[in-house]
């Protein structure tokens, strides 16, 4: 019986989409980094896993671009945590990224359709 090929590495799956996933997560409510990662994992039924080594640099880029802001607060467990909030510019950027992503998905679907 043939073996199933391994899934592509997570970094390949998330390349270019992590920022979009973070921005979308923050439309729900302000969240700290660990909650963002949990949100993405939960909604993707654990298909997408966000590692800290990717998450925090992405959050820093989003903040540098003015798409999120952050402030220190207390997590539900009583620990100090940085909470991130999407900005109006971040919402506009999210809209652009989603539109672009949908075009790419439609193009991939067109290529993957059986030619017959």
């Amino acid at each position: 019986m043939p073996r199933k090929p391994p899934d592509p590495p997570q970094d390949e799956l998330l390349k270019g989409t992590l920022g979009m996933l973070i921005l979308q997560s923050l439309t729900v409510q302000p969240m700290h980094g660990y909650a963002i990662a949990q949100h993405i994992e939960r909604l993707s039924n654990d298909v997408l896993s966000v590692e800290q080594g990717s998450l925090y640099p992405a959050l820093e880029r989003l903040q540098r671009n003015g798409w999120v802001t952050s402030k220190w607060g207390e997590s539900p467990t009583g620990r100090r945590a940085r909470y991130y909030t999407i900005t109006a510019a971040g919402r506009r950027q999210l809209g652009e990224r989603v539109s672009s992503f949908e075009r790419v998905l439609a193009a991939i679907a067109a290529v993957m359709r059986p030619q017959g």
Side-chain angles (χ1 to χ4, degrees):
M1 182 172 193
R3 292 179 52 191
K4 178 184 169 211
D7 289 334
Q10 288 293 316
D11 57 347
E12 287 181 28
L13 290 174
L14 291 177
K15 194 169 196 171
T17 60
L18 181 56
M20 179 179 63
L21 296 172
I22 292 169
L23 290 173
Q24 181 63 40
S25 297
L26 292 175
T27 64
V28 175
Q29 66 184 27
M31 293 182 212
H32 54 78
Y34 182 68
I36 294 168
Q38 284 184 313
H39 179 81
I40 293 169
E41 290 173 16
R42 185 177 64 252
L43 290 182
S44 73
N45 292 317
D46 295 318
V47 171
L48 302 176
S49 175
V50 183
E51 302 296 326
Q52 286 186 4
S54 300
L55 176 66
Y56 290 101
L59 283 165
E60 288 176 26
R61 278 191 303 278
L62 294 172
Q63 191 162 3
R64 225 178 10 256
N65 289 331
W67 300 333
V68 300
T69 60
S70 67
K71 67 178 181 178
W72 288 98
E74 190 174 303
S75 74
T77 60
R79 298 179 92 170
R80 191 167 181 243
R82 180 172 271 175
Y83 280 80
Y84 297 88
T85 303
I86 189 169
T87 64
R91 288 181 188 277
R92 285 190 299 277
Q93 178 64 22
L94 176 60
E96 291 172 18
R97 286 189 179 193
V98 168
S99 293
S100 176
F101 186 71
E102 287 173 345
R103 282 192 307 275
V104 169
L105 285 179
I108 291 169
V111 171
M112 296 304 294
R113 266 189 226 110
Q115 305 296 310

